[in-house]
Amino acid sequence: AETTLYRVIQEALTNIVKHSGARKVSILLQQQRGMVLAVVEDDGSGFDPTDTRADAVGLAGMRERVSLAGGRLQVESSPGSGTTLVAEVPSP
């Protein structure tokens, strides 16, 4: 769980730096009901999560990593309104 969330947060921060133009980023880690939650939010340019580039492997890699750990990944974003990424995996 720790490695999965570390890598997801790392990739999220990389994407923020490369693509979003964000001025503020927040990271929240929380344990609840047998799960560990990582929330990464930014105030960047946002994007349409259903319309990603074919060569964009960051989000796909995060989804796969979280899924293999028995968790789920949720991405909330829209153009002009920042992005919130929530990764949830079972507690160790």
Side-chain angles (χ1 to χ4, degrees):
E2 294 93 349
T3 302
T4 297
L5 293 177
Y6 175 82
R7 294 295 182 201
V8 166
I9 292 168
Q10 182 180 40
E11 181 64 27
L13 292 174
T14 298
N15 287 346
I16 290 167
V17 169
K18 287 171 70 173
H19 304 294
S20 80
R23 300 183 80 190
K24 294 181 184 177
V25 176
S26 70
I27 300 170
L28 170 71
L29 289 170
Q30 183 176 17
Q31 187 170 6
Q32 61 185 22
R33 300 182 317 265
M35 301 296 278
V36 180
L37 209 66
V39 181
V40 181
E41 293 182 303
D42 72 62
D43 66 349
S45 59
F47 66 101
D48 179 354
T50 64
D51 186 27
T52 55
R53 297 184 337 251
D55 64 337
V57 295
L59 275 176
M62 286 189 274
R63 286 189 195 285
E64 182 177 353
R65 187 180 292 275
V66 169
S67 178
L68 289 171
R72 65 185 184 95
L73 182 76
Q74 181 178 353
V75 179
E76 297 173 7
S77 186
S78 61
S81 63
T83 301
T84 301
L85 181 136
V86 180
E88 184 177 31
V89 296
S91 293

